[in-house]
Amino acid sequence: MNEMTEGAMNVASQTVNQMQSFFHVSEIIDYVKEPEHIVKFATGVIALLIFWGVYRLIRMVITKGVAKKLDASAAKTVTKIVSYCFYVLIIMYILGLFGINLGAIWGAMGIAGVAVGFAAQTTVSNLISGVFIVTEKTMRIGDFIEVDGVSGTVDKVGLLSIKIHTVDNQLIRIPSSSIINTKLMNYSSFKYRRYVFEVGIDYSSNLENALEVLSKVPEKCSLVIKDKADYKPKAMLTTLADSSIGMNLIVWGLRADFFDMKSQVCLEAVRAFNEAGINIPFNRVDVTVLSEKTNPKGSGL
């Protein structure tokens, strides 16, 4: 029994010695015993605590700022990037305390960065574009936007891309670089939207009467803004076309009522012209039916 106990103790002792040798415990203890090393170690610990406090403060500010513009996943990505940058700086600082030459490490990281940049040009471009999108505050979740002919409601704003769903409920992913490199239309940025109702009237119509009839249409439309100086309705003559005289009715309404307002204005304008006897020209097609006598079989007509 004593031999087994003694053997177990020997194994444990050898294991501890191997662990100490592997982690260089004795060298670290000798290093810390030196007075100048103690000062350097204490200075390093204090510096790390200061860096940690600054990092926590910066992370809190960035997290609160980004959370207002991005969804949870994108905000988490930004926070991770900040954390990784902090960890790299801390590791470099600790290596510097131990007298390790960082020039070679920075050089290797630079070469690796160039290689990664060439290998992932599209990803890097989208990432940088995503940072600009967040900074510019051009959109938020829930906005209705149009990019390069594609329109929909924003569901997710990320650094690499944004995701929208169209009016027919299709999911579309738009890369961030596409948004930066083309025109972005955000229909949700402002409270009011303008609608221009275009109509043509017959050349035989009384123009003064037609203008008066069209200018009274907004009074019959409850969704049209009529009491604000900057958004008052306006009726005008615009063009002399081949078969009609063009007229425009410019009205404003709340963004939420835009489509209902369009239908309301169209309905009331056509009704007002019909009641006033004003003709709206339209294209006509004459169809001639040929009988068998005029178009015998086999004639090829």
Side-chain angles (χ1 to χ4, degrees):
M1 189 71 176
N2 292 333
E3 292 180 357
M4 293 180 60
T5 304
E6 184 177 352
M9 292 179 63
N10 290 334
V11 172
S13 177
Q14 291 178 3
T15 303
V16 171
N17 292 333
Q18 289 179 357
M19 293 293 293
Q20 290 179 347
S21 176
F22 180 80
F23 290 105
H24 302 281
V25 175
S26 59
E27 289 85 349
I28 294 175
I29 294 175
D30 294 337
Y31 180 86
V32 173
K33 286 181 179 180
E34 296 292 334
E36 60 180 73
H37 294 164
I38 294 176
V39 174
K40 186 182 294 187
F41 179 78
T43 304
V45 172
I46 295 173
L48 289 176
L49 292 176
I50 294 174
F51 288 159
W52 178 257
V54 173
Y55 158 71
R56 296 292 297 180
L57 179 62
I58 294 175
R59 180 177 175 179
M60 181 181 64
V61 172
I62 293 178
T63 301
K64 289 184 177 180
V66 171
K68 297 178 181 179
K69 308 174 186 67
L70 300 176
D71 60 1
S73 60
K76 187 177 180 179
T77 302
V78 174
T79 304
K80 284 184 177 180
I81 293 175
V82 174
S83 300
Y84 293 153
C85 293
F86 170 77
Y87 296 148
V88 170
L89 292 176
I90 289 299
I91 292 173
M92 292 300 176
Y93 176 76
I94 293 175
L95 293 177
L97 287 178
F98 287 94
I100 298 176
N101 185 11
L102 301 179
I105 297 178
W106 285 115
M109 290 180 62
I111 296 173
V114 172
V116 172
F118 278 111
Q121 293 183 24
T122 303
T123 302
V124 173
S125 176
N126 287 328
L127 183 62
I128 296 175
S129 300
V131 174
F132 281 110
I133 291 174
V134 173
T135 304
E136 289 181 343
K137 305 177 183 179
T138 52
M139 71 186 76
R140 296 176 298 178
I141 295 176
D143 287 353
F144 190 85
I145 66 171
E146 180 178 343
V147 180
D148 197 21
V150 178
S151 59
T153 304
V154 178
D155 292 329
K156 181 179 179 180
V157 179
L159 292 179
L160 296 178
S161 65
I162 69 167
K163 292 182 180 179
I164 66 174
H165 69 271
T166 61
V167 291
D168 55 350
N169 214 30
Q170 292 182 344
L171 174 66
I172 297 181
R173 176 184 176 273
I174 304 176
S176 298
S177 58
S178 299
I179 299 175
I180 293 295
N181 296 327
T182 189
K183 293 180 180 179
L184 167 68
M185 299 179 64
N186 191 334
Y187 296 100
S188 303
S189 295
F190 302 102
K191 184 178 180 180
Y192 303 109
R193 284 191 63 182
R194 187 186 71 170
Y195 171 57
V196 180
F197 174 74
E198 300 177 355
V199 63
I201 62 174
D202 196 284
Y203 269 95
S204 62
S205 303
N206 185 320
L207 298 183
E208 288 81 3
N209 182 45
L211 272 176
E212 183 179 358
V213 170
L214 189 61
S215 61
K216 291 182 179 180
V217 169
E219 299 176 2
K220 305 174 184 178
C221 301
S222 59
L223 300 179
V224 173
I225 297 174
K226 299 176 279 290
D227 56 351
K228 294 183 180 296
D230 295 334
Y231 304 105
K232 284 188 175 181
K234 177 67 176 179
M236 64 183 73
L237 296 170
T238 56
T239 58
L240 300 177
D242 294 336
S243 58
S244 64
I245 299 177
M247 300 181 68
N248 282 357
L249 176 61
I250 302 175
V251 294
W252 292 81
L254 291 173
R255 184 181 70 245
D257 300 332
F258 181 72
F259 294 105
D260 292 336
M261 180 187 69
K262 289 178 63 175
S263 298
Q264 195 177 63
V265 171
C266 291
L267 178 64
E268 294 297 339
V270 173
R271 182 180 297 167
F273 280 146
N274 290 337
E275 292 176 355
I278 299 173
N279 183 38
I280 301 177
F282 58 91
N283 294 330
R284 294 177 172 85
V285 179
D286 293 332
V287 179
T288 302
V289 180
L290 300 177
S291 64
E292 291 186 359
K293 292 182 179 180
T294 57
N295 183 24
K297 293 181 180 180
S299 64
L301 299 178

